[in-house]
Amino acid sequence: MSEPFDATNAPIILRWSPVHGVDSSSPCPPELAALFEQPEWREKLDALCRSTRIDHGARTIMPGVEVVGFSRGSDPTSRRDYELAVAFTEELLDHPELDAMASAAGTSAQGLRSAVRRVAVHTPGEIDRLAQYGDWALSREIELVSGRDDLVNTFSEQLSESYEHISLLLYVGRFMNHVADPHAVLQTVAQEVRRTMRYGWLALVVLEGRGAAVSISGTTAVMGSPPFSERALRTACEAYATSHPADAWTRVIDPGDEELGAIANGEILVEPITHEGRTVALIICGEKGGRRPVIDSVDIQILDAVADLMGVFHDNLRRYEQQVQMFMGVVGSLTAAIDAKDAYTKGHSERVAWGARELARALGHDEHTCERVHLAGLLHDIGKIGVPEAVLTKKGRLTEGEFDLIKKHPRIGYDILRGIPSLEDVLPGVLHHHEKWNGKGYPTGAAGEEISLFGRLLAVPDVFDALSSDRAYRKALPREEVIAEIQRCSGSHFDPRMARAFLDLDFTEFDELLRHSEETPGIAERKAA
């Protein structure tokens, strides 16, 4: 049985660093501190502190010197600061090399013995008891550090998730005004929400007949692999939205519940996107993954915020569509005003717009450019409003003065439209559509690539349609003659690259537009006359 231990007969505590040795603030006599600084002792202490596994019981540093307690120190993130509980026995005092050790430490053997006795000399039984206390303290420290590490890791994960959620909302918020390509917005947002919220699949379903923006009505963006077909999904969404007024639902649906729950194999989260109090779209998420594989209040709050942002996007898209519709109505009225002056040219602007857009596509321009040159085609002859009707409809050759009036219409059109900021990019096409590659066109005499891109894109279909349709002064030419004329003027009137690309187009739609125009009452009556 071990000897009783007097708790007041405590070991000394050393704060030890493999780099700096014994901390000067440690409650250790200087003679002993100097002893621990000896190379042989430093090496043993260093090896003990660096070991990844600390054996139970006392650890012998030198005969008569036992480490009975061990701590990682005040900074657990640092492996350079340790605390050691060190006890001494009579074996040290009787060590045959004590004189040499004392001399190396800069003291006498008597001074070293005195310092040890001032601290404490322990019996083997006391060493065992001290080691038991040390083992218990170390175990408790390991448990506390482990618990603290778990808490830190949990907090770090929660902080990381919160950061991701905030980043997600900021990311979605950037798309609020990206109304030019709404389908890409739906796909991108759906993918990012699914990734950030860690769902196996996500579907964004825009309902039909409920007031959704025309450009996305009936659209479905599906990310991942849901356990049902898109058709079944849309049917269930339509039924669900019909039976549940906007924002009056339980967001979490259990398997088999409601219409949507019946087609899913697990718990799903559903969030409405509303417009003027009506549900126009649904966001549905399933197969929750991540650290918390169960849908919780955080998921509901985040998806609710995403749905609110997408509602703002939808409202902006609706306004944009209304503005475009109103604008195109104005454009239609302007082109109708030209047609009213000369029924022979009815549909000319529409056909030129078609040809310019298809030519731009054939040359590899992006869809935005193609749509803008289409608009330029619709407006390219707006300046003819300022040309006398008698000149526009005159049969036979024009006089030089009359032709001078005709030549003014690109500049007149430019001046009419230049006060509209949204048409700034189409103005060069309106001004330059009668310029020639060789510089002999009008109104500026620009040549080659000095002519704007839209001007060169419009020039070829403008002449192609003029030759292909009846005019007051002549009949339409056969298609082969029209093609021959375009080829002949390539490099003089037209940008040769554009002339070649235009003649490679499929003119089926052009011919349909032309046939429709020739059947309108105005032209039919003039032909009969």
Side-chain angles (χ1 to χ4, degrees):
M1 185 171 177
S2 61
E3 302 174 21
F5 167 63
D6 182 1
T8 61
N9 194 24
I12 64 169
I13 305 298
L14 292 179
R15 183 168 290 109
W16 164 260
S17 164
V19 176
H20 303 293
V22 177
D23 190 328
S24 59
S25 63
S26 297
C28 177
E31 298 88 347
L32 293 178
L35 192 64
F36 286 117
E37 289 292 341
Q38 297 307 302
E40 185 178 2
W41 291 54
R42 284 181 66 103
E43 183 178 342
K44 291 180 179 292
L45 288 174
D46 190 19
L48 172 65
C49 294
R50 291 182 183 276
S51 63
T52 56
R53 178 178 176 273
I54 303 168
D55 296 327
H56 291 286
R59 274 74 69 187
T60 301
I61 298 300
M62 292 288 287
V65 182
E66 306 283 347
V67 174
V68 294
F70 189 100
S71 172
R72 290 296 185 185
S74 58
D75 182 5
T77 64
S78 171
R79 293 299 178 256
R80 293 178 174 272
D81 184 20
Y82 308 91
E83 290 181 353
L84 309 176
V86 182
F88 303 94
T89 68
E90 290 288 346
E91 188 177 1
L92 174 64
L93 302 181
D94 297 331
H95 197 284
E97 298 182 8
L98 186 64
D99 288 341
M101 288 189 288
S103 176
T107 185
S108 65
Q110 185 61 34
L112 188 57
R113 288 189 180 90
S114 176
V116 170
R117 288 194 174 95
R118 285 202 307 274
V119 173
V121 178
H122 297 90
T123 66
E126 289 177 324
I127 294 293
D128 290 340
R129 295 291 299 277
L130 286 171
Q132 291 175 15
Y133 290 133
D135 290 341
W136 175 84
L138 178 60
S139 297
R140 287 293 298 152
E141 177 181 289
I142 292 173
E143 289 176 6
L144 291 173
V145 170
S146 177
R148 180 180 57 194
D149 288 345
D150 290 342
L151 182 62
V152 170
N153 290 337
T154 300
F155 178 75
S156 297
E157 289 180 7
Q158 293 175 342
L159 186 63
S160 177
E161 286 182 2
S162 298
Y163 174 78
E164 288 186 350
H165 291 159
I166 293 172
S167 297
L168 171 65
L169 297 181
L170 291 174
Y171 181 83
V172 174
R174 294 193 190 103
F175 289 96
M176 292 304 94
N177 293 317
H178 289 207
V179 293
D181 192 357
H183 294 276
V185 171
L186 298 185
Q187 293 284 333
T188 303
V189 168
Q191 180 64 31
E192 189 64 17
V193 172
R194 177 205 171 208
R195 184 194 66 80
T196 302
M197 298 186 68
R198 295 175 174 82
Y199 278 90
W201 58 266
L202 180 146
L204 200 164
V205 181
V206 184
L207 305 172
E208 294 184 277
R210 293 180 173 272
V214 175
S215 59
I216 60 172
S217 180
T219 296
T220 302
V222 178
M223 300 297 153
S225 301
F228 42 73
S229 67
E230 184 175 324
R231 181 177 179 180
L233 171 64
R234 292 200 63 84
T235 300
C237 286
E238 294 285 353
Y240 196 81
T242 299
S243 60
H244 293 74
D247 283 337
W249 332 327
T250 299
R251 300 291 198 274
V252 181
I253 301 177
D254 294 326
D257 289 348
E258 303 285 351
E259 297 87 342
L260 281 168
I263 65 173
N265 292 333
E267 187 180 57
I268 59 175
L269 177 60
V270 182
E271 187 69 38
I273 298 173
T274 61
H275 173 72
E276 295 181 350
R278 300 185 67 191
T279 297
V280 296
L282 304 176
I283 306 176
I284 307 102
C285 309
E287 297 178 10
K288 175 68 186 298
R291 186 172 58 86
R292 298 189 309 272
V294 178
I295 297 172
D296 57 20
S297 60
V298 175
D299 293 319
I300 295 174
Q301 292 170 2
I302 294 300
L303 200 62
D304 182 64
V306 170
D308 286 344
L309 289 172
M310 293 305 293
V312 174
F313 166 76
H314 176 265
D315 292 344
N316 290 341
L317 180 60
R318 286 261 306 185
R319 283 191 288 271
Y320 172 75
E321 289 181 346
Q322 291 169 354
Q323 291 171 354
V324 170
Q325 185 178 13
M326 181 176 65
F327 178 72
M328 294 309 295
V330 173
V331 171
S333 298
L334 292 173
T335 56
I338 302 171
D339 292 342
K341 297 192 70 171
D342 182 9
Y344 272 105
T345 62
K346 184 174 180 60
H348 169 71
S349 295
E350 184 180 3
R351 295 190 296 274
V352 171
W354 174 88
R357 181 182 62 199
E358 296 306 306
L359 175 57
R361 284 175 177 166
L363 292 171
H365 291 286
D366 62 81
E367 194 59 25
H368 175 73
T369 300
C370 296
E371 291 305 320
R372 297 305 287 178
V373 77
H374 180 267
L375 179 59
L378 293 175
L379 295 169
H380 78 286
D381 272 346
I382 193 66
K384 287 184 178 179
I385 291 175
V387 179
E389 185 176 344
V391 176
L392 291 176
T393 60
K394 180 180 178 180
K395 296 181 179 181
R397 183 176 293 275
L398 298 176
T399 66
E400 185 176 344
E402 291 168 337
F403 188 54
D404 285 340
L405 291 175
I406 289 288
K407 289 163 64 175
K408 290 180 180 180
H409 81 270
R411 178 67 67 180
I412 294 173
Y414 178 89
D415 291 338
I416 290 173
L417 301 174
R418 67 178 177 175
I420 305 175
S422 60
L423 294 178
E424 183 178 356
D425 61 334
V426 309
L427 291 178
V430 174
L431 183 64
H432 290 159
H433 69 277
H434 278 296
E435 302 289 359
K436 294 184 178 181
W437 187 253
N438 60 13
K440 296 181 179 180
Y442 62 87
T444 68
E449 294 192 0
E450 293 176 350
I451 305 169
S452 65
L453 172 64
F454 280 15
R456 286 178 281 140
L457 287 169
L458 290 168
V460 187
D462 188 31
V463 173
F464 184 87
D465 182 70
L467 297 176
S468 299
S469 54
D470 289 337
R471 294 298 173 95
Y473 50 89
R474 59 151 177 80
K475 291 288 187 179
L477 298 179
R479 177 59 51 82
E480 60 271 16
E481 292 185 27
V482 176
I483 292 175
E485 182 64 14
I486 298 296
Q487 291 173 331
R488 186 184 69 81
C489 295
S490 177
S492 57
H493 189 152
F494 311 120
D495 180 333
R497 186 170 67 99
M498 295 188 178
R500 288 192 301 270
F502 184 82
L503 293 179
D504 288 335
L505 298 179
D506 180 354
F507 294 107
T508 301
E509 187 173 349
F510 174 89
D511 292 336
E512 182 61 25
L513 292 171
L514 183 61
R515 183 189 63 78
H516 177 73
S517 294
E518 290 175 343
E519 292 175 354
T520 57
I523 291 182
E525 289 169 5
R526 293 206 178 198
K527 283 185 175 182

